[in-house]
Amino acid sequence: MKRLIHFFLDNARLNYTILIFLIFMGISSYIKIPKEVFPIVAENQIVVRGSYVGANAASLNSFAVTEIENELESVVGIKEIESTIRSGSFSIVLYLEDSYEPNDLINDVKDAISVVRSSLPSDMDEPTASVVKRTMSLLTIALTGDDEKELLDISKDLKTEIFKFNHINEIQISGDSDLQIDIYLDEEKLNAYGINSKSLISQIQNLSYIYPVASIEQKGNYVYVNTTDKKLVDNFWENSLIEVNSKKLYLSDLATIKIHYPKEDTIARVNGKSSITLNIYKDEQANVIELSKEVQKYLQEFKKNHKNINIEVIHDDAKPIKERLNTVISNISFGLVLVGLSMFVLISPRISVVVVLGIPFSFIIGVITFYYAGYSLSMLSLLAVLIMIGIIVDDAIVVSENIQRYLDEGKSIKDAVYKGTIEMLPPVLVASLTTVFAFLPMLYLSGRIGSFISIIPIVVSILIVASLIESFLFLPIHAKHMLKPKEKMLNWAPVYKFYEKILHLLIHNKFIFLGTFVIVVPLATFFMATSMRFQFFPNMDSDRITLSVKFDESKSLEDSSQIAKSFEKVLLDNKKELNLKTLQNRVGLFSSLSGDSESIENAFTMSLMLEDFKENNWIQNYLQPIFTFSFDFEQKEKTRIKKSFEIQKEVQTLIEPLLKKFDVTDKTLTTTRIGIVRTDLEFKISSKDSNLIQESIQKLKEELAKIDGVVDISDNAELGKYEYRYKVNNYGESLGLTESYIANALNSYFMERDQTKAVSIDGLVDVKTQLLTKDNLDSFKNFQLPLEDGRFVELSKVVDFTITKDFETLEKENSKIIKTVYANVELEKLTSSEALDKIRPALNEIEKSGVEIILGGEFEQNEQLKDELSIAVMISIFLIFIVLLINFPSFRISFIIISVIPFSLIGALLGHLVMGLNIMMPSLIGMLGLAGVVINDGIIMLDFIKNTKTKEEFYSRAKLRIRPILITSITTLLGLSTLIFYPSGQGVVLQPLAISLGFGLLWGTILNLIYLPALYAVLFKLKD
């Protein structure tokens, strides 16, 4: 390393050439690197999907899901299996072990499904397995117009064109439908003509044939033979002649035919107007800002060719990302200015320039590494950079200050630079390694927590390495050309003298001081830690509020749409007061409190997109417009001054009368939450007795409602539709009827069953049959079943019915049926852990009845964090201790330095009290990182005093370290100050981390200057 430093110092041209090259590489990498608000928080998953029309959740679970789950349990690498079963469909999500990639297991999963295939119903399509794509929202586009067919065609064309862009991996359309031919059979006419229902269906199936018929390879005349594609015009279906029971009839004599675009799934509206919306999603590699520009540029050209259709971008995820990135970059720039000014005042102008020059180069090396390592630039990564400003500058300060010291002692510029740099290599390298080893064990955290937080130790490690490269390869050449001996500097003599007096006093009373210290500080730390409240994440303002409402099952899609209009009117009438930018409604979709969505007719989900929030602090008002070169001091586009949670309460008040009027069965009103915990409280209830589950859920919800501050109480244990189970009675058996025969006779009439296909210019068209009176229960019971001898018999005469009602949806975890109660808490009243303490007696009472209750939500994540963070702390302390032993081959010195860590925690706790914040998950991460940062000054101090032989030498060398220790601490605190005192937007996520580091380091500085020398004096028997 010494040779490398010497080589770079002697080859200035090479040095500067490499720096210029790095600048270009850094700019290129920054432009190309993907940008996002938060990293995608998702575990490796494979999903298995299947469907069987007409089967309720319990039936699907019995004959399909359980069989598949049993077979999947033999697949190595699956950590957890979660199944969701609804009427007619199911999905099985496989969570994989961290060491397994989805593409490595997908074939094993497909093989397991193939094994089960033979036991599934013969007319059921084989379930599919696919890797869950990690997607993030990009754009939401709304299309409105008068011609429904034209609107549908244009939306599909637009979807096709946008899919051609690189990194677009999913587009969801709401409000669209496919062309369909519905044949509504009239039962009265069938009975009047004496038509055999099974024979009629067979005739309909034969009316359309879409596949190749023949290939004639006559010499010189090669011919293909196909059927006509004129089945959508000229009344083809009405005029089709069929023969049943020796009777020839037109299909129109027996049925009503409708060729249309049915709104069977969802109805979409934007600001009260019917629309089709395209929700566009990108993959992980996309640069959201550039991709959004490209798509919107194409959209402008697309509009020119479709002027009769209104096409509007109603939400652009690139805009808030760009604004948040600008905010953080402004904070970083301001942090650099503060750091530079502090060094200008505290040391000298020339040293401040040398140090400040190095910070951008450290960032440039970091960005280049980030880009080529495949990482994205997110709010978290930039906030981690903001946190590191003051930390990475420490290396440069210590090296520069040491070079200047040798210059002032009369060394030549070359010798001073070389000797000053080489002398600081061991302590700076050790200090850097301890910082890296404090953050690096965070990578041990698994699951969603690990995915969310992993970028922080990666950023820290990359920037620390970049800082080392800059401080020992590039900074020396800057110092050689810029520093001068005896430069006018701030007079530190009074500080040295004052500190020496304190040291004399401490060493003289070292036993009293240390005895008091080791008793008072731990007790104070314990008292504060046990009395402070804990919440997982801080509250964050959101630009979106989601309202989801569910009605009783009797409501059709059209009924739900009409009711939703009442909600839309109330919200749009108060658009200005609510700071509402766009109101997007999807009828036919319900989003639960847990974040899961289901497509049902009796529900709607509204997205209230709010105006941009106007931050009211001097950094946003004055500094950001300067650092981003926008000079928009008035923030003209930002008009909202209310926080999203305030607007959420106003919305609740506005819709309360409507919720009562329309007998709403379930409702969620939520804002966007951070990261990994969807609900504060989650109680998973399991039992083989479904009645006991329902009783337990009801009792638990009643007890939760009694706790002041617990809100949004809901569950997923809603009962589904009534189920009529039939059994062939004695009379039916005497007629030779079987369950299978009756089922085949009924399903083409009382289920919307595909019978054949037709062809349109857009592709295949489903041809479906159902009875005109399909949804009439009396019509079903009185249906005339055809017998083999040509007679008919009424259904109710040959079967006995048993009426049951089961859960609408079944959720399973590792093959066990789970029902869940969800709730949130109002943090100004209590935290989730406090709510759990209050509800525990009720939980214990419920468990005595025989049900199993598993705590999920924030509690589940807390338990995981507690277990894994304790291991990460032990790993961190061990690695730091090993590094200290390598540099200081002494257990006593290593112990002195590492003992600072537990005593520094009180500083982090005091910081949260001063700032009025609860302890949070990022706070704990900050305390772990503090372990490496707080001992850096201690390493510098001990490296100077470790070989002192006399007390005079001890005082002399110790006081020389107060300047670099104070300067590095001040610069670190200044770098963190904007995030500690003026967090904005998503910056609040890492504010607790910055508080732990900043206030912990502030107290740690006192420890390193006072406690550490006193302990050294005791252990090495130094006397005053």
Side-chain angles (χ1 to χ4, degrees), residues 401 405 496 944 955-964:
E401 195 265 350
R405 184 170 65 86
Y496 292 151
F944 258 62
Y955 292 129
S956 175
R957 293 185 69 83
K959 71 180 183 182
L960 288 177
R961 292 296 87 197
I962 189 171
R963 186 171 73 174

Side-chain angles (χ1 to χ4, degrees), residues 649-666:
K649 291 180 180 179
E650 293 180 15
V651 171
Q652 176 64 41
T653 302
L654 288 171
I655 65 173
E656 196 65 43
L658 296 176
L659 297 175
K660 295 176 181 177
K661 177 181 178 180
F662 293 108
D663 297 323
V664 171
T665 60
D666 198 2

